[in-house]
Amino acid sequence: MAAAFPPIAELLPHAPPMVMLDAVIGHTAESLTAGLTIRADAPFFVPDSGVPCHAGIEYMAQACGAFAGLEAHLAGKPVRLGFLLGTRRYQGFVAWLPEGWHVTVTATVVLREGPMGVFDCRIRHGEDDVAMAQLTLYQPDGPTDARADHEADVG
């Protein structure tokens, strides 16, 4: 039986429509895999083309964030905001992610030291690599939550 994961919106400190992943589909102590289907209402979508492959950096960053969010959830702690500091060796193997494609995004821990983390990330469509990169992220201490900040701004 597959593990049941919380909804992705509970693992990411983002307000809609910026939650771009559909669901967590796998998790280990060192990695997280999420899935998403490319839709016409997705951020960055270009009619008749799809989502540009370079937008995959955000999908990767959100997979890293979901990894940290799931860790917090499992420990009974609040989800906290994190920041993408850098991307190394981004390789896109297609120009566009067409409407209807279901892709998986995997983030695997390479190094974690205090609030810093380095992840190897990969986007796949079926058995084919779509993009890969190494991301460096920073998660400061404190209960920073973009959803709460957004709600305060508009409320």
Side-chain angles (χ1 to χ4, degrees):
M1 180 172 193
F5 298 106
I8 197 82
E10 292 180 16
L11 304 177
L12 293 171
H14 297 319
M18 293 311 292
V19 176
M20 296 181 197
L21 304 176
D22 292 339
V24 174
I25 57 176
H27 175 257
T28 70
E30 298 298 319
S31 70
L32 179 132
T33 300
L36 75 133
T37 300
I38 306 301
R39 295 180 183 83
D41 62 349
F44 311 119
F45 187 86
V46 175
D48 299 321
S49 295
V51 173
C53 191
H54 63 265
I57 293 171
E58 180 61 23
Y59 298 158
M60 293 174 181
Q62 288 196 15
C64 296
F67 177 85
L70 184 56
E71 280 189 328
H73 173 81
L74 294 173
K77 296 180 179 179
V79 172
R80 296 181 299 135
L81 188 63
F83 300 95
L84 174 62
L85 296 183
T87 304
R88 294 185 58 175
R89 296 185 306 273
Y90 185 85
Q91 295 178 288
F93 303 109
V94 297
W96 298 92
L97 308 179
E99 183 176 4
W101 267 24
H102 178 75
V103 298
T104 57
V105 185
T106 301
T108 304
V109 175
V110 174
L111 172 72
R112 290 177 88 183
E113 189 166 318
M116 301 289 291
V118 177
F119 292 81
D120 279 339
C121 299
R122 177 176 300 229
I123 301 174
R124 300 192 78 167
H125 175 249
E127 297 298 315
D128 298 324
D129 287 329
V130 172
M132 19 169 113
Q134 189 173 79
L135 274 57
T136 302
L137 295 104
Y138 174 74
Q139 188 176 47
D141 289 332
T144 25
D145 183 336
R147 290 176 298 215
D149 293 344
H150 173 74
E151 289 165 7
D153 289 343
V154 298

